[in-house]
Amino acid sequence: MTTVWNRAAGWHRPLMLLVSAMAVLTVVAAVGVVADPRVLTGAPAWLKPLKFALSFVLYGVTLAWMLSLLPRRSRLAERAATVIVAVAVVEMVAIVVQVVRGTTSHFNGTTTLNAALFDVMGAAIMVLFLAQAVLAVALLRRPTPDRAGGYAVRLGLGVSLLGMLVAVPMVMQRPAGAPAGINGAHSVGVPDGGPGLPLVGWSTTGGDLRVGHFVGLHALQALPLLAILLDRFVGARLDALTRARLVLVGGVAYAALTLLLTWQALRGQPLSRPDGLTLTVAAALALTTAAATGLVLARRSRRTPVVLVG
C-alpha cells in the first residue's frame, strides 16, 4: 500500500491536487446532506455537490494513473490534463455557489445570474470535452508496454467522451409544466425530482438520461479494470493479442450499452421497467458480445499449439 501511495505522489500534480480538493469537498458535502434540511428538485441540497465531488475524485485519479503509464512524458497530454483541472474547478465552484444560494445549478435560467452561471458551466464542460479528446489523441500516439492495457485506456477515454455526448439531449428538452426559466431536464416524460432509485435518484416513473451518461463516463474505469482482470486471472493462458482483442470486444459492447440505455431513456422508459423491445435489443447485444468473445477465443485456440503430456 505504501508503494502505491508513493507512486501516486509522483503522478500529474494538478490532477492529484484536484483529487485532494474534491476529497475534502466530498466530506463537506456529506455533512451537508445530513445537516442541511433544504431540498432542491426532490433531493437533499448537498447531494449534487457530493456526487460531482466523488466523480471528480475518481476521474482525476484515473487520468493521473493513465498518464503514469506512458513510457515517456507527453507535454500535450499533461497540458490537456491541466486544462481539465481548471474547468473542473470552475464547474464545482458554480455548483457549490448555487447550493449555498439555495437554488439549482443545472438548467436554471430563472434569473440573469442563474443563467450566467449555467452558461459558464456549459462552456466549462465543452472545454473539458475538448481537452479530454486532445488527451485521448496524445495517448493514442504514444505506445504503451501492454497492448491490452493500451486498448483499454484509449477505448475508456473514447467511450467516456460518448458518455459526455449522450447528455446533450438533457439541455435540449423543454419539460412540460416546468417553472419559467427552466430549460432542460434529466428525466423524459415526467418532471425532474419525482420518485427515483436510491442514492442515484434515477427516475422510476419515466426515462432518465443520467443512466447512459453515468455508464458511458465510467468506461474510463471499467475498461482498464477489464484489462487488469484479464491479465491477473488469464494472463498466463491468453497471449497479449488475444487479451487486447477481448478488451476491444468489451469496449464496443460497452459503447453499445451506453447508447442502448440512452435510447431507452429517450423513449420515456425507466431503467427498472424495460419493455419487450428494450429487452430484445439488450439480449441481441449480449448474444453478439458472447459470439464475438467466442470467436476471439476460438481464433486463439486454433493458433496455439497443443502440447500433449503423457
Coordinates of all heavy atoms in Angstrom, one line a residue, residues 7-65:
R7 N 3.9 6.0 -5.4 CA 3.8 6.1 -6.9 C 2.8 7.2 -7.2 O 3.1 8.1 -8.1 CB 3.4 4.8 -7.6 CG 4.5 3.8 -7.6 CD 4.0 2.5 -8.2 NE 5.0 1.4 -8.2 CZ 4.7 0.2 -8.5 NH1 3.5 -0.2 -8.9 NH2 5.7 -0.8 -8.5
A8 N 1.7 7.2 -6.6 CA 0.6 8.2 -6.8 C 1.1 9.6 -6.5 O 0.7 10.6 -7.2 CB -0.6 7.9 -6.0
A9 N 2.0 9.7 -5.5 CA 2.5 11.1 -5.2 C 3.3 11.7 -6.3 O 3.4 12.9 -6.4 CB 3.4 11.0 -3.9
G10 N 3.8 10.9 -7.2 CA 4.6 11.4 -8.4 C 3.8 11.6 -9.6 O 4.3 11.9 -10.7
W11 N 2.5 11.3 -9.6 CA 1.6 11.5 -10.7 C 1.3 12.9 -11.0 O 1.8 13.8 -10.2 CB 0.3 10.7 -10.5 CG 0.4 9.2 -10.5 CD1 1.5 8.5 -10.9 CD2 -0.6 8.3 -10.2 NE1 1.3 7.2 -10.7 CE2 0.0 7.0 -10.3 CE3 -1.9 8.4 -9.7 CZ2 -0.7 5.8 -10.0 CZ3 -2.6 7.2 -9.4 CH2 -2.0 5.9 -9.6
H12 N 0.7 13.2 -12.1 CA 0.4 14.6 -12.6 C -0.1 15.4 -11.4 O -1.2 15.2 -10.8 CB -0.7 14.5 -13.7 CG -0.9 15.8 -14.4 ND1 -1.9 16.6 -14.0 CD2 -0.3 16.4 -15.4 CE1 -1.9 17.7 -14.8 NE2 -0.9 17.6 -15.6
R13 N 0.7 16.4 -11.0 CA 0.4 17.2 -9.8 C -0.9 17.9 -9.8 O -1.7 17.9 -8.8 CB 1.6 18.2 -9.5 CG 1.5 18.9 -8.1 CD 2.7 19.7 -7.9 NE 3.9 18.9 -7.8 CZ 4.3 18.3 -6.7 NH1 3.6 18.4 -5.6 NH2 5.4 17.6 -6.7
P14 N -1.2 18.7 -10.9 CA -2.5 19.4 -10.8 C -3.7 18.4 -10.7 O -4.7 18.7 -9.9 CB -2.6 20.1 -12.2 CG -1.1 20.3 -12.6 CD -0.5 19.0 -12.1
L15 N -3.7 17.3 -11.3 CA -4.8 16.3 -11.2 C -4.8 15.8 -9.7 O -5.9 15.6 -9.2 CB -4.6 15.1 -12.1 CG -5.0 15.3 -13.6 CD1 -4.6 14.1 -14.4 CD2 -6.5 15.5 -13.7
M16 N -3.7 15.5 -9.1 CA -3.7 15.0 -7.8 C -4.2 16.1 -6.8 O -4.8 15.8 -5.7 CB -2.3 14.4 -7.4 CG -1.9 13.2 -8.2 SD -3.2 11.9 -8.4 CE -3.2 11.3 -6.7
L17 N -3.8 17.3 -7.1 CA -4.4 18.4 -6.2 C -5.9 18.5 -6.3 O -6.6 18.7 -5.4 CB -3.7 19.8 -6.6 CG -2.2 19.9 -6.2 CD1 -1.7 21.2 -6.8 CD2 -2.1 20.0 -4.7
L18 N -6.4 18.3 -7.6 CA -7.8 18.3 -7.8 C -8.5 17.2 -7.0 O -9.5 17.4 -6.3 CB -8.1 18.1 -9.3 CG -9.6 17.9 -9.6 CD1 -10.4 19.2 -9.3 CD2 -9.8 17.5 -11.0
V19 N -7.8 16.0 -7.0 CA -8.4 14.9 -6.3 C -8.4 15.2 -4.8 O -9.4 14.9 -4.1 CB -7.5 13.6 -6.6 CG1 -7.8 12.5 -5.6 CG2 -7.7 13.2 -8.0
S20 N -7.4 15.8 -4.3 CA -7.3 16.1 -2.8 C -8.4 17.1 -2.5 O -9.1 16.9 -1.5 CB -6.0 16.7 -2.5 OG -4.9 15.8 -2.7
A21 N -8.6 18.1 -3.3 CA -9.6 19.1 -3.0 C -11.0 18.5 -3.1 O -11.9 18.8 -2.3 CB -9.5 20.3 -4.0
M22 N -11.2 17.7 -4.1 CA -12.5 17.0 -4.2 C -12.8 16.0 -3.1 O -14.0 15.9 -2.7 CB -12.7 16.3 -5.6 CG -12.7 17.3 -6.8 SD -14.1 18.5 -6.7 CE -13.2 20.0 -6.2
A23 N -11.8 15.4 -2.6 CA -12.0 14.5 -1.4 C -12.4 15.3 -0.2 O -13.3 14.9 0.5 CB -10.6 13.8 -1.1
V24 N -11.8 16.5 0.0 CA -12.3 17.4 1.1 C -13.7 17.8 0.9 O -14.5 17.8 1.8 CB -11.3 18.6 1.2 CG1 -11.9 19.6 2.2 CG2 -9.9 18.2 1.6
L25 N -14.0 18.2 -0.4 CA -15.4 18.7 -0.7 C -16.4 17.5 -0.5 O -17.5 17.8 -0.1 CB -15.5 19.2 -2.1 CG -16.8 19.7 -2.6 CD1 -17.4 20.8 -1.6 CD2 -16.8 20.2 -4.0
T26 N -16.0 16.3 -0.8 CA -16.8 15.1 -0.5 C -17.3 15.0 0.9 O -18.4 14.8 1.2 CB -16.1 13.8 -1.0 OG1 -15.8 13.9 -2.4 CG2 -17.0 12.6 -0.6
V27 N -16.3 15.3 1.8 CA -16.6 15.2 3.2 C -17.6 16.4 3.6 O -18.6 16.2 4.3 CB -15.3 15.3 4.1 CG1 -15.7 15.3 5.6 CG2 -14.4 14.1 3.8
V28 N -17.3 17.6 3.1 CA -18.1 18.7 3.4 C -19.5 18.5 2.9 O -20.5 18.7 3.6 CB -17.5 20.0 2.8 CG1 -18.5 21.2 2.9 CG2 -16.2 20.3 3.4
A29 N -19.7 18.0 1.7 CA -21.0 17.8 1.1 C -21.7 16.7 1.8 O -23.0 16.8 2.0 CB -20.8 17.4 -0.4
A30 N -21.0 15.6 2.3 CA -21.7 14.6 3.0 C -22.2 15.1 4.3 O -23.4 14.7 4.7 CB -20.7 13.4 3.3
V31 N -21.5 16.0 5.0 CA -22.0 16.6 6.2 C -23.2 17.4 5.9 O -24.2 17.4 6.6 CB -20.9 17.4 6.9 CG1 -21.5 18.2 8.0 CG2 -19.8 16.5 7.4
G32 N -23.2 18.1 4.7 CA -24.3 19.0 4.3 C -25.5 18.2 4.0 O -26.6 18.6 4.4
V33 N -25.4 17.0 3.4 CA -26.5 16.2 3.2 C -27.3 15.8 4.5 O -28.5 15.8 4.5 CB -26.1 14.9 2.4 CG1 -27.2 13.9 2.4 CG2 -25.7 15.2 1.0
V34 N -26.5 15.6 5.5 CA -27.1 15.2 6.8 C -27.6 16.4 7.6 O -28.7 16.3 8.2 CB -26.0 14.4 7.6 CG1 -26.6 14.1 9.0 CG2 -25.6 13.1 6.9
A35 N -26.8 17.5 7.6 CA -27.1 18.6 8.5 C -28.0 19.6 7.9 O -28.7 20.4 8.6 CB -25.8 19.2 8.9
D36 N -28.0 19.7 6.5 CA -28.8 20.8 5.9 C -30.2 20.2 5.5 O -30.2 19.3 4.6 CB -28.0 21.3 4.7 CG -28.6 22.6 4.1 OD1 -29.9 22.8 4.3 OD2 -27.9 23.3 3.4
P37 N -31.3 20.8 6.0 CA -32.6 20.2 5.7 C -33.1 20.6 4.3 O -34.2 20.1 3.9 CB -33.5 20.7 6.8 CG -32.8 22.0 7.2 CD -31.4 21.8 7.0
R38 N -32.5 21.5 3.6 CA -33.0 22.0 2.4 C -33.1 20.9 1.3 O -32.3 20.0 1.3 CB -32.2 23.2 1.9 CG -32.3 24.4 2.8 CD -31.4 25.5 2.2 NE -30.0 25.1 2.1 CZ -29.1 25.7 1.3 NH1 -29.4 26.7 0.6 NH2 -27.8 25.2 1.3
V39 N -34.1 21.0 0.5 CA -34.3 20.1 -0.6 C -34.4 20.9 -1.9 O -35.1 21.9 -2.0 CB -35.6 19.3 -0.4 CG1 -35.9 18.4 -1.7 CG2 -35.5 18.4 0.8
L40 N -33.7 20.4 -3.0 CA -33.7 21.0 -4.3 C -34.0 20.0 -5.3 O -33.4 18.9 -5.4 CB -32.3 21.7 -4.6 CG -31.9 22.8 -3.8 CD1 -30.4 23.2 -4.1 CD2 -32.8 24.0 -3.9
T41 N -35.1 20.2 -6.1 CA -35.6 19.2 -7.1 C -35.7 17.8 -6.5 O -35.3 16.8 -7.1 CB -34.6 19.2 -8.3 OG1 -34.1 20.5 -8.6 CG2 -35.3 18.7 -9.5
G42 N -36.3 17.8 -5.3 CA -36.7 16.5 -4.7 C -35.5 15.8 -4.1 O -35.7 14.6 -3.7
A43 N -34.4 16.4 -3.9 CA -33.2 15.7 -3.3 C -32.5 16.6 -2.3 O -32.7 17.9 -2.4 CB -32.2 15.3 -4.4
P44 N -31.8 16.1 -1.4 CA -31.0 17.0 -0.4 C -30.2 17.9 -1.2 O -29.6 17.6 -2.2 CB -30.2 16.0 0.4 CG -31.0 14.7 0.3 CD -31.6 14.7 -1.0
A45 N -30.1 19.2 -0.7 CA -29.4 20.2 -1.5 C -28.0 19.9 -1.8 O -27.5 20.3 -2.8 CB -29.5 21.5 -0.7
W46 N -27.3 19.2 -0.8 CA -25.9 19.0 -1.0 C -25.6 17.6 -1.7 O -24.4 17.2 -1.8 CB -25.2 19.0 0.4 CG -25.0 20.4 0.9 CD1 -25.9 21.1 1.7 CD2 -23.9 21.3 0.6 NE1 -25.4 22.3 2.0 CE2 -24.2 22.5 1.3 CE3 -22.8 21.2 -0.2 CZ2 -23.3 23.6 1.2 CZ3 -21.9 22.2 -0.2 CH2 -22.2 23.4 0.5
L47 N -26.6 17.0 -2.2 CA -26.4 15.7 -2.8 C -25.7 15.8 -4.2 O -24.8 15.1 -4.5 CB -27.7 14.9 -3.0 CG -27.6 13.5 -3.6 CD1 -26.8 12.6 -2.7 CD2 -29.0 12.9 -3.9
K48 N -26.0 16.9 -4.9 CA -25.4 17.1 -6.2 C -23.9 17.4 -6.0 O -23.0 16.8 -6.7 CB -26.1 18.2 -7.0 CG -25.5 18.3 -8.4 CD -26.2 19.4 -9.2 CE -27.6 19.0 -9.6 NZ -27.6 17.9 -10.6
P49 N -23.5 18.3 -5.2 CA -22.1 18.5 -4.9 C -21.4 17.2 -4.5 O -20.2 17.0 -4.8 CB -22.0 19.6 -3.9 CG -23.3 20.3 -4.0 CD -24.3 19.3 -4.4
L50 N -22.0 16.4 -3.6 CA -21.4 15.2 -3.2 C -21.2 14.3 -4.3 O -20.1 13.7 -4.5 CB -22.4 14.5 -2.2 CG -22.0 13.1 -1.6 CD1 -20.6 13.2 -0.9 CD2 -23.0 12.6 -0.7
K51 N -22.1 14.1 -5.2 CA -22.0 13.2 -6.4 C -20.9 13.7 -7.3 O -20.1 12.9 -7.8 CB -23.3 12.9 -7.1 CG -24.3 12.2 -6.3 CD -25.5 11.7 -7.1 CE -26.4 12.8 -7.6 NZ -27.6 12.3 -8.2
F52 N -20.9 15.0 -7.6 CA -19.9 15.5 -8.5 C -18.5 15.5 -7.9 O -17.5 15.2 -8.6 CB -20.3 17.0 -8.9 CG -21.2 17.1 -10.1 CD1 -22.5 16.7 -10.0 CD2 -20.7 17.5 -11.3 CE1 -23.3 16.8 -11.1 CE2 -21.5 17.6 -12.4 CZ -22.8 17.3 -12.3
A53 N -18.4 15.7 -6.6 CA -17.1 15.7 -6.0 C -16.5 14.2 -6.0 O -15.3 14.0 -6.3 CB -17.2 16.2 -4.5
L54 N -17.4 13.3 -5.7 CA -16.9 11.9 -5.8 C -16.5 11.5 -7.2 O -15.5 10.8 -7.4 CB -18.0 10.9 -5.3 CG -18.2 10.8 -3.8 CD1 -19.5 10.0 -3.5 CD2 -17.1 10.1 -3.2
S55 N -17.3 12.0 -8.2 CA -17.0 11.7 -9.6 C -15.6 12.3 -10.0 O -14.8 11.6 -10.7 CB -18.1 12.2 -10.5 OG -19.3 11.6 -10.3
F56 N -15.4 13.5 -9.5 CA -14.1 14.1 -9.9 C -12.9 13.5 -9.2 O -11.8 13.5 -9.7 CB -14.1 15.6 -9.6 CG -14.7 16.4 -10.8 CD1 -15.8 17.2 -10.6 CD2 -14.2 16.3 -12.0 CE1 -16.3 18.0 -11.6 CE2 -14.7 17.1 -13.1 CZ -15.8 17.9 -12.9
V57 N -13.1 12.9 -8.0 CA -12.1 12.2 -7.3 C -11.7 11.0 -8.2 O -10.5 10.7 -8.5 CB -12.5 11.7 -5.9 CG1 -11.5 10.6 -5.4 CG2 -12.6 12.9 -4.9
L58 N -12.7 10.2 -8.6 CA -12.4 9.0 -9.4 C -11.8 9.4 -10.8 O -10.9 8.8 -11.3 CB -13.7 8.2 -9.6 CG -13.6 6.8 -10.1 CD1 -12.7 6.0 -9.3 CD2 -15.0 6.2 -10.2
Y59 N -12.4 10.4 -11.4 CA -12.0 10.9 -12.7 C -10.5 11.4 -12.6 O -9.7 11.0 -13.5 CB -12.9 12.0 -13.1 CG -12.6 12.6 -14.5 CD1 -12.8 11.8 -15.6 CD2 -12.2 13.9 -14.7 CE1 -12.6 12.4 -16.9 CE2 -12.0 14.5 -15.9 CZ -12.2 13.7 -17.0 OH -12.0 14.3 -18.3
G60 N -10.2 12.2 -11.6 CA -8.8 12.7 -11.6 C -7.8 11.6 -11.3 O -6.7 11.6 -11.9
V61 N -8.1 10.7 -10.4 CA -7.2 9.6 -10.1 C -6.9 8.8 -11.4 O -5.8 8.4 -11.7 CB -7.7 8.7 -9.0 CG1 -6.9 7.4 -8.9 CG2 -7.6 9.5 -7.6
T62 N -8.0 8.5 -12.1 CA -7.9 7.6 -13.3 C -7.1 8.3 -14.4 O -6.2 7.6 -15.0 CB -9.3 7.3 -13.9 OG1 -10.1 6.7 -12.8 CG2 -9.2 6.4 -15.0
L63 N -7.3 9.6 -14.6 CA -6.5 10.3 -15.6 C -5.0 10.3 -15.2 O -4.1 10.1 -16.1 CB -7.0 11.7 -15.9 CG -8.4 11.8 -16.6 CD1 -8.7 13.3 -16.8 CD2 -8.4 11.0 -17.9
A64 N -4.8 10.6 -13.9 CA -3.4 10.7 -13.5 C -2.7 9.3 -13.6 O -1.5 9.2 -14.0 CB -3.3 11.1 -12.0
W65 N -3.4 8.3 -13.3 CA -2.9 6.9 -13.5 C -2.6 6.6 -15.0 O -1.5 6.1 -15.3 CB -3.8 5.9 -12.9 CG -3.5 4.5 -13.3 CD1 -2.5 3.7 -12.8 CD2 -4.2 3.6 -14.2 NE1 -2.5 2.5 -13.3 CE2 -3.5 2.4 -14.3 CE3 -5.3 3.9 -15.1 CZ2 -3.9 1.4 -15.1 CZ3 -5.7 2.8 -15.9 CH2 -5.0 1.6 -15.9

